[in-house]
Amino acid sequence: MLTLPEGFEKRFAKQFGAEVLSQLSQALATPLASSIRLHPAKSFRSSLRAVPWCSLGRYVDDAVLFGADPLWHAGAYYVQEASSMVLAQFIQQLHLSPSRAIDLCAAPGGKSSLLRSYLPTDTLLISNEIDTKRAQILLENLTRYGLEETIVTSASPQKLSATGIMADLILVDAPCSGEGMFRKEPAAIENWSEANIALCTQRQREILDEAWMMLEEGGHLIYSTCTYNRDENEEQLHYLQSKYPLKLMRIDLPTEWGIWEREEGVYSLMPHRVEGEGLTIFAVEKCGGDTTQKTGKPQTTSIIPPLLTSQFERENLYEHHGTWYHLSKAGQEVLSLLKGVQVLTGGVPLGTQKGKDFLPAHSWASSAPLATKAPFPRYEATDEEVLRFLKREVLNIESERGINLLTYQDIPLGFIKQVVNRANNLYPRHLALRNSSLTTKEIPNWTTL
């Protein structure tokens, strides 16, 4: 059984009762199954148990080495803690279809990829992370999942707000004391303190104030933490209610799911009640304020490569530092507003023109809707071949001459270039498998799990 901080136990018992503390402690001593969320357009067959509150969520009862799975590298699923997937209920029940959405504290990318799956395809998603190292992880994860209509940035909420950008949906998955991660991340136990809660509470309010400035009238703010205490959850709702005109949003959740509405509109997932870690979440609608989305100008374009004009509308293409991108005109207008903000990508990088040839970028293969328009022959890889591809080894295969889109179980995984009797590997170095000893035995068979 986990040894919880004495201060945490006293605080938790005071807020929720000694009996609930006892139930939580017992639950934390029980191992938890892993969980994944399927990509809606990169389907593969499985018979996994469903996560009740997320139509794409699945529990994985057996041990799986996800990093050895080509389907994980292809973005066919995202490894995400089950409780976090409850966000899908808010999107669906509140019928959210924003033109712009901001995930303000987005790394490592679980909730951004969920938003991308459940929001309309033409919703522009700005996925932001203040920490530069975590922002790179965010970019890698979203690249695998698909970057269509997505801008990835690394900026403080204050700097993002200063651009004048507005959105009609903002998610604040706030940095918190991490009480809900005690079982998953033992470091959260070591780092717990009253001082940290106070620090997190103040930081969260600063983030909420900036988020509110960027939220349009009638727009929705969804706030979540992976912690239990009321200071970082209910009290943050009370803070917003005392300062801004808003409407608290409620959703209907079946009793058998075990999700606890601790206070009107504040929903808590706790390990002794659900099959998941700890998460608390609420949503509000903004009443009053600015209703006008600030718009910029589309990106200027030079001569567009013929290979791209034959597949895409011209207004959705632009070039930046030699790389061609796919992003809607509306997305490009927002991109032009982000002056002084570090932009890691503005849409899907498609590739670069090299003389007479066009060299496609890996992210083109990873974007499910755009990969269907990749005008290259496909090569279906075997288990052995796909591992060599992921390790960036030369492939001794015979495919059609030139660029090929390599697939695995019919899901695009990346590009190769066939020359004579071998194929040069175009898989990005920074995404390659680090463990060169992996064999096909480690590849999971999802039909039997």
Side-chain angles (χ1 to χ4, degrees):
M1 181 174 287
L2 289 176
T3 301
L4 302 177
E6 182 179 351
F8 165 79
E9 291 183 329
K10 289 181 179 179
R11 168 186 272 269
F12 188 96
K14 183 178 180 180
Q15 292 190 349
F16 304 110
E19 183 178 351
V20 178
L21 173 62
S22 177
Q23 293 170 346
L24 174 67
S25 298
Q26 293 177 35
L28 293 180
T30 305
L32 179 66
S34 299
S35 50
I36 63 174
R37 182 173 34 78
L38 306 177
H39 192 295
K42 301 179 183 180
S43 59
F44 63 95
R45 290 191 302 167
S46 73
S47 56
L48 302 173
R49 292 187 298 120
V51 174
W53 45 85
C54 181
S55 59
L56 297 172
R58 300 291 186 271
Y59 288 109
V60 183
D61 294 311
D62 297 311
V64 171
L65 186 59
F66 295 113
D69 186 7
L71 293 176
W72 176 81
H73 289 273
Y77 61 89
Y78 191 102
V79 182
Q80 184 178 31
E81 203 285 307
S83 293
S84 295
M85 301 181 198
V86 75
L87 174 62
Q89 288 295 317
F90 284 82
I91 297 171
Q92 293 175 311
Q93 293 198 37
L94 300 181
H95 306 289
L96 301 182
S97 55
S99 59
R100 297 179 188 171
I102 299 175
D103 186 356
L104 202 50
C105 313
K111 292 183 177 65
S112 277
S113 59
L114 187 148
L115 290 173
R116 189 69 283 164
S117 291
Y118 281 91
L119 291 176
T121 56
D122 60 352
T123 293
L124 178 69
L125 174 63
I126 297 96
S127 185
N128 179 72
E129 171 56 43
I130 185 173
D131 183 271
T132 54
K133 289 184 179 180
R134 285 171 55 81
Q136 288 297 327
I137 296 172
L138 169 67
L139 177 62
E140 288 183 11
N141 285 331
L142 293 185
T143 296
R144 292 187 187 95
Y145 204 75
L147 286 165
E148 53 273 9
E149 282 307 290
T150 301
I151 299 173
V152 180
T153 60
S154 181
S156 67
Q158 292 85 351
K159 183 169 284 189
L160 201 61
S161 175
T163 65
I165 190 172
M166 303 286 288
D168 37 355
L169 172 62
I170 297 181
L171 171 64
V172 176
D173 185 36
C176 67
S177 57
E179 295 166 348
M181 294 289 105
F182 281 170
R183 173 170 49 182
K184 185 178 180 181
E185 300 175 6
I189 297 177
E190 300 174 10
N191 296 332
W192 188 94
S193 69
E194 291 282 357
N196 191 35
I197 291 177
L199 178 65
C200 289
T201 300
Q202 180 58 37
R203 184 186 298 135
Q204 290 156 2
R205 292 186 177 184
E206 293 170 358
I207 294 172
L208 285 170
D209 285 335
E210 297 298 336
W212 200 260
M213 291 177 62
M214 292 186 279
L215 187 64
E216 296 180 12
E217 179 183 1
H220 293 85
L221 184 148
I222 302 176
Y223 174 87
S224 65
T225 71
C226 57
T227 207
Y228 305 119
N229 70 74
R230 297 188 188 276
D231 307 57
E232 299 179 64
N233 295 296
E234 285 92 336
E235 291 304 318
Q236 302 298 38
L237 172 60
H238 301 162
Y239 170 76
L240 290 173
Q241 290 172 321
S242 69
K243 194 171 182 179
Y244 304 110
L246 57 81
K247 177 183 177 183
L248 180 62
M249 310 304 293
R250 298 185 67 189
I251 60 175
D252 294 322
L253 300 170
T255 304
E256 59 267 25
W257 287 359
I259 300 173
W260 179 20
E261 189 174 8
R262 299 192 325 202
E263 179 182 297
E264 183 182 13
V266 179
Y267 303 90
S268 182
L269 294 87
M270 291 188 170
H272 64 287
R273 299 176 62 97
V274 305
E275 191 173 357
E277 302 292 7
L279 182 121
T280 311
I281 186 169
F282 65 78
V284 297
E285 180 182 308
K286 184 174 183 177
C287 303
D290 197 344
T291 60
T292 305
Q293 287 188 346
K294 187 176 179 181
T295 57
K297 298 179 180 179
Q299 304 296 301
T300 57
T301 59
S302 53
I303 299 175
I304 302 175
L307 181 142
L308 299 182
T309 57
S310 66
Q311 303 299 323
F312 304 110
E313 296 183 17
R314 288 176 176 267
E315 69 173 15
N316 295 332
L317 300 170
Y318 75 93
E319 182 264 341
H320 181 66
H321 291 168
T323 297
W324 285 92
Y325 291 80
H326 185 279
L327 184 66
S328 68
K329 180 182 177 182
Q332 293 176 44
E333 291 172 349
V334 170
L335 195 60
S336 71
L337 297 175
L338 299 176
K339 305 298 184 185
V341 170
Q342 184 182 3
V343 177
L344 279 66
T345 189
V348 180
L350 295 175
T352 56
Q353 186 72 39
K354 299 288 187 181
K356 296 182 180 180
D357 298 324
F358 187 86
L359 185 64
H362 173 73
S363 44
W364 188 352
S366 298
S367 173
L370 301 191
T372 61
K373 296 185 177 183
F376 307 106
R378 294 193 172 203
Y379 180 85
E380 175 69 13
T382 64
D383 286 358
E384 292 80 5
E385 290 167 347
V386 77
L387 278 186
R388 291 204 297 272
F389 176 74
L390 293 173
K391 295 174 184 178
R392 295 194 79 249
E393 297 175 357
V394 172
L395 301 176
N396 297 314
I397 61 175
E398 292 186 7
S399 56
E400 293 191 39
R401 192 72 175 265
I403 299 293
N404 284 250
L405 178 60
L406 184 139
T407 63
Y408 180 73
Q409 297 185 18
D410 292 325
I411 298 176
L413 189 55
F415 294 102
I416 55 176
K417 184 176 183 179
Q418 184 72 40
V419 288
V420 194
N421 61 348
R422 74 176 192 278
N424 291 336
N425 196 329
L426 303 183
Y427 194 63
R429 187 179 303 277
H430 68 282
L431 296 179
L433 279 174
R434 300 290 185 267
N435 187 350
S436 60
S437 64
L438 286 175
T439 68
T440 57
K441 293 180 180 179
E442 277 79 41
I443 298 178
N445 183 349
W446 291 107
T447 59
T448 61
L449 289 176

